[in-house]
Amino acid sequence: MHLGAPIDAPATIADSILAAVRKVVPAERGSVALHEPEFRGREREYVLDCIDTGWVSSVGAYVDRFESMLTEITGAAHTVATVNGTAALHVALLLAGVRPGDEVLVPAFTFIATANAVSYCGAVPHFVDSAADTLGLDPAALDEHLRRIAERRGDALVNRDTGRVLRAVVPMHAFGHPVDVDGLLKVCGRYGLPVVEDAAESLGSTYKGTHTGRFGRLAALSFNGNKVVTTGGGGAILTDDLELGRRAKHLTTTARVPHRWNLSHDVIGFNYRLPNLNAALGCAQLENLPDFLRRKRQLAERYAAAFETVGEADFVREPANTRSNYWLNAILLRREAAPARDGVLQRLNDAGLMARPGWCLMHRLPMYEHSPRASLPVAEDIERRLINLPSSPALV
Ligand SMILES: *Cc1c(COP(=O)(O)O)cnc(C)c1O
């Protein structure tokens, strides 16, 4: 059966994108995941050491070592390992002063954990737009939105539409690409809004030579199974503030008052500590971080080259002034090709290549549909056009 040109077009777009991906991931590779962990270092040795010594749980030398390795890599003054990245973000927000009834500005284009961590504090996420070049929070759009809705009342910055206090801003470095940090700090500084970075995806990414997670008062990292480095499940809080670092450790370890045998606690804390077993895996993974980053960068360069000649889509490159870890490679379909997105996804997945769209925007989810939000033209545009491609370091 012959189909006319307009109906044929989506298939042609899918063909051309599949052909470009195949230049990077040849068919011989078989079925390919979006991002797979890789254990080629001392993972087995360190995990067995935990089992052999009995130190598998909430205390142990690997937790301390994992934290100091992260301190070294990021340059942050204090690192507190946690059971996952969401927990790290939860406690980071509490320490930034987020309280029930507050509002926290977060991008609409993000993973659900960013918004959920705000909700865990009893606060309300307030969604703002992304920038086309970074895919992360847009400082200019934030500024314009705040100018419209924010009002200073005493010490507090208040959303005049809802009457709630605007307590913090949470930028997220999407797929490892750092946001426009200078622009953001300028706007947040002007409004006196503390910044808490969701750096879950950006271990190894830098902005003007400084590691992500160093720009706000606190930051959260994630070591989930699909991240650049994994502990099975895990996260970390970063901060340069000695007192915040101390309180982060205290809050994530049930707020136990240190004593040789007494079990006493001085506030409602959380059992958010990272088990030693997971930290052991993480230590071995971090030893290979430079190699992971090198190969992920090479993979990104291959995709960039393969998509140079594709008229229907553009490869998403690291923003100016940054070095990205290229956690997840992404393409943006050209606007005229955007209606073919689901056809492209189908074609790639049928070919055994795990590809997926970006996140469904937060305000479309039932629990956040009534949350306050700015106009979101760029986030909506990204949502329609973005596709993530297989990004495991093993593909190089
Ligand atoms: C992975 C991730 C987190 C944290 O995830 P956990 O699975 O809890 O470690 C938070 N925010 C973003 C944007 C993420 O991608």
Side-chain angles (χ1 to χ4, degrees):
M1 186 178 68
H2 179 75
L3 301 170
I7 302 166
D8 251 337
T12 315
I13 294 167
D15 279 342
S16 119
I17 285 166
L18 176 59
V21 176
R22 275 286 177 235
K23 286 189 196 165
V24 181
V25 187
E28 301 91 84
R29 290 228 172 233
S31 208
V32 169
L34 192 65
H35 200 288
E36 255 175 335
E38 193 180 298
F39 307 113
R40 294 191 194 168
R42 304 177 74 180
E43 286 85 353
R44 184 180 300 269
E45 180 191 333
Y46 292 171
V47 169
L48 279 177
D49 182 42
C50 292
I51 294 169
D52 291 342
T53 58
W55 293 98
V56 295
S57 192
S58 36
V59 283
Y62 285 108
V63 175
D64 297 338
R65 188 154 141 205
F66 186 60
E67 288 176 345
S68 37
M69 286 178 88
L70 286 169
T71 297
E72 176 112 347
I73 289 164
T74 60
H78 305 281
T79 306
V80 176
T82 59
V83 72
N84 59 52
T86 312
L89 195 55
H90 178 196
V91 169
L93 289 168
L94 289 175
L95 290 175
V98 177
R99 293 292 170 266
D102 289 347
E103 281 179 23
V104 177
L105 296 143
V106 306
F109 183 68
T110 187
F111 177 60
I112 189 70
T114 319
N116 282 349
V118 172
S119 301
Y120 300 163
C121 299
V124 176
H126 181 142
F127 302 116
V128 287
D129 207 10
S130 297
D133 57 341
T134 67
L135 308 179
L137 211 151
D138 181 355
L142 175 68
D143 191 22
E144 202 188 303
H145 185 59
L146 286 173
R147 211 170 308 169
R148 202 161 32 234
I149 62 141
E151 180 178 294
R152 189 148 286 290
R153 292 187 197 155
D155 282 345
L157 189 70
V158 172
N159 176 348
R160 76 164 77 86
D161 295 341
T162 62
R164 287 190 286 247
V165 173
L166 295 160
R167 190 65 75 184
V169 176
V170 184
M172 193 278 286
H173 307 293
F175 312 126
H177 302 314
V179 300
D180 168 9
V181 173
D182 285 349
L184 186 73
L185 292 182
K186 208 160 103 191
V187 173
C188 292
R190 192 154 2 99
Y191 287 93
L193 281 167
V195 171
V196 176
E197 291 174 74
D198 183 344
E201 305 182 351
S202 61
L203 180 69
S205 299
T206 58
Y207 176 87
K208 294 187 175 173
T210 299
H211 200 285
T212 52
R214 299 286 316 284
F215 301 103
R217 292 188 69 186
L218 300 124
L221 302 177
S222 168
F223 307 104
N224 189 36
N226 62 352
K227 296 287 173 18
V228 173
V229 154
T230 188
T231 55
I237 299 167
L238 304 179
T239 182
D240 282 343
D241 184 307
L242 178 69
E243 179 57 15
L244 289 179
R246 196 195 58 74
R247 287 172 63 204
K249 190 70 176 179
H250 191 59
L251 273 186
T252 53
T253 53
T254 67
R256 184 174 169 197
V257 180
H259 190 277
R260 277 176 67 201
W261 53 80
N262 281 344
L263 273 174
S264 174
H265 310 259
D266 56 3
V267 288
I268 300 176
F270 301 90
N271 181 14
Y272 278 176
R273 66 188 119 200
L274 184 72
N276 201 46
L277 198 55
N278 300 76
L281 194 69
C283 289
Q285 288 269 287
L286 287 180
E287 287 172 357
N288 287 321
L289 178 63
D291 181 56
F292 290 151
L293 293 174
R294 184 183 57 75
R295 282 187 286 139
K296 287 181 68 63
R297 196 162 188 84
Q298 217 172 320
L299 182 65
E301 279 162 16
R302 289 183 193 174
Y303 276 126
F307 277 92
E308 215 136 74
T309 52
V310 176
E312 294 87 354
D314 297 298
F315 181 72
V316 177
R317 291 170 188 269
E318 63 195 352
N321 299 318
T322 74
R323 194 172 170 88
S324 176
N325 66 7
Y326 282 102
W327 171 52
L328 287 189
N329 291 292
I331 53 169
L332 281 169
L333 296 173
R334 296 267 172 91
R335 294 213 168 76
E336 60 279 13
R341 188 197 76 173
D342 289 352
V344 173
L345 287 167
Q346 173 108 39
R347 196 72 206 281
L348 292 172
N349 280 281
D350 285 351
L353 299 159
M354 172 71 184
R356 68 175 190 204
W359 304 282
C360 175
L361 298 184
M362 294 299 108
H363 68 286
R364 299 195 201 287
L365 305 175
M367 58 288 195
Y368 293 127
E369 65 186 1
H370 301 298
S371 282
R373 63 176 194 261
S375 67
L376 304 165
V378 177
E380 285 167 2
D381 184 51
I382 293 169
E383 182 189 42
R384 274 192 296 272
R385 300 197 289 129
L386 187 130
I387 292 176
N388 285 125
L389 299 174
S391 300
S392 307
L395 294 173
V396 168

